[in-house]
Amino acid sequence: MITSSPVYAPFFGTMGCAAAIVFSCLGAAYGTAKSGVGLSAMGVLRPDLLVKCIVPVVMAGILGIYGVVVSVLLSGGLAMKQTLFSGFVQMAAGLSVGLSCLAAGIAIGITGDAGVRATAQQPRMFVGMILILIFAEVLGLYGLIVALILNTKASGTESVCN
């Protein structure tokens, strides 16, 4: 039995690290920008609600943290000689957290923009906005959980070639 360690196997692991941080930060940036536009428009009408309605911007920023966590964990498993299986699993882990955070960032941005504008007109809309934002944020958390599970599989299993 020979362990398969092609020279290009670490490339997939490094691309997983890059995908985790890039896509999750794209989601965080979009969510922050879109929510910030709504927050600015709301601040003109109701400046007293400005600090209360900054929640979507904070929630969008958390998505970037998910990507950083997974990138750091994946980079710890990178090695010059690693199996092709572990490289593929690291790439899958990075893509799972990155793309789910991108989707969550889009959802948070759209919901945050409309939610803070609606809260300016009717303050009772705040609770509904928070609930929708929580459901949008959990999409990124699902990707983080899958990435963490995949990362444990990458370090614990060796690919064997006959």
Side-chain angles (χ1 to χ4, degrees):
M1 291 204 223
I2 301 169
T3 303
S4 175
S5 298
V7 69
Y8 55 86
F11 169 77
F12 295 105
T14 56
M15 290 309 293
C17 289
I21 193 69
V22 168
F23 289 128
S24 64
C25 285
L26 275 173
Y30 182 83
T32 300
K34 188 87 167 142
S35 296
V37 168
L39 193 64
S40 298
M42 189 232 33
V44 173
L45 298 174
R46 298 284 305 271
D48 56 316
L49 293 177
L50 200 61
V51 174
K52 181 180 178 182
C53 287
I54 204 163
V55 174
V57 175
V58 173
M59 290 183 82
I62 293 170
L63 298 174
I65 295 171
Y66 293 165
V68 170
V69 167
V70 171
S71 288
V72 168
L73 290 175
L74 290 178
S75 68
L78 290 175
M80 196 65 174
K81 287 228 174 219
Q82 72 179 40
T83 62
L84 194 56
F85 173 79
S86 67
F88 284 154
V89 171
Q90 289 169 338
M91 185 170 183
L95 286 173
S96 73
V97 71
L99 293 177
S100 64
C101 285
L102 178 61
I106 292 170
I108 288 171
I110 293 169
T111 302
D113 181 27
V116 297
R117 290 175 194 252
T119 301
Q121 294 177 359
Q122 176 54 261
R124 289 188 293 178
M125 291 294 294
F126 182 75
V127 174
M129 176 189 72
I130 295 296
L131 288 174
I132 296 168
L133 286 171
I134 290 170
F135 288 122
E137 177 80 27
V138 81
L139 298 175
L141 187 62
Y142 294 155
L144 174 69
I145 292 168
V146 168
L148 294 176
I149 292 170
L150 284 171
N151 188 41
T152 61
K153 300 291 184 189
S155 59
T157 309
E158 295 270 332
S159 176
V160 177
C161 180
N162 289 327

